[in-house]
Amino acid sequence: GAAYHKDVALPYMRAYLAQGFQVEILGGGRISHQKDEKKIMLYGFSYGFPWEDGAGHFISSMVCRGAFPGYSVEWSDDGY
């Protein structure tokens, strides 16, 4: 893990930009992954990457549902 969202995002942003992609971070938060229980919870927010209009954990929850079939995926855009 990393201390701040920007610390997690920066290496990926640099790699994608170097490949010619445009990068825009729509927001941030936290992920709780309980592998044994097959549960994922997306929650919280980032002061460094506040939510853009129309973005939120719903988008990430759909990605997680596709990547982790059989998991319970819940989300909240509220704080901690």
Side-chain angles (χ1 to χ4, degrees), residues 1-73:
Y4 298 99
H5 291 107
K6 65 178 178 59
D7 299 326
V8 174
L10 192 57
Y12 294 99
M13 289 177 59
R14 286 182 178 151
Y16 292 140
L17 290 168
Q19 294 176 41
F21 291 100
Q22 182 177 341
V23 178
E24 181 179 1
I25 298 174
L26 302 177
R30 296 185 179 188
I31 301 172
S32 171
H33 180 194
Q34 299 173 24
K35 186 176 181 180
D36 293 339
E37 292 86 16
K38 292 192 170 188
K39 292 182 182 179
I40 295 174
M41 177 65 179
L42 308 162
Y43 63 99
F45 57 89
S46 169
Y47 288 108
F49 298 113
W51 290 116
E52 293 289 328
D53 289 339
H57 291 305
F58 172 75
I59 297 168
S60 301
S61 73
M62 298 305 291
V63 172
C64 288
R65 284 186 180 106
F68 295 92
Y71 269 65
S72 168
V73 179

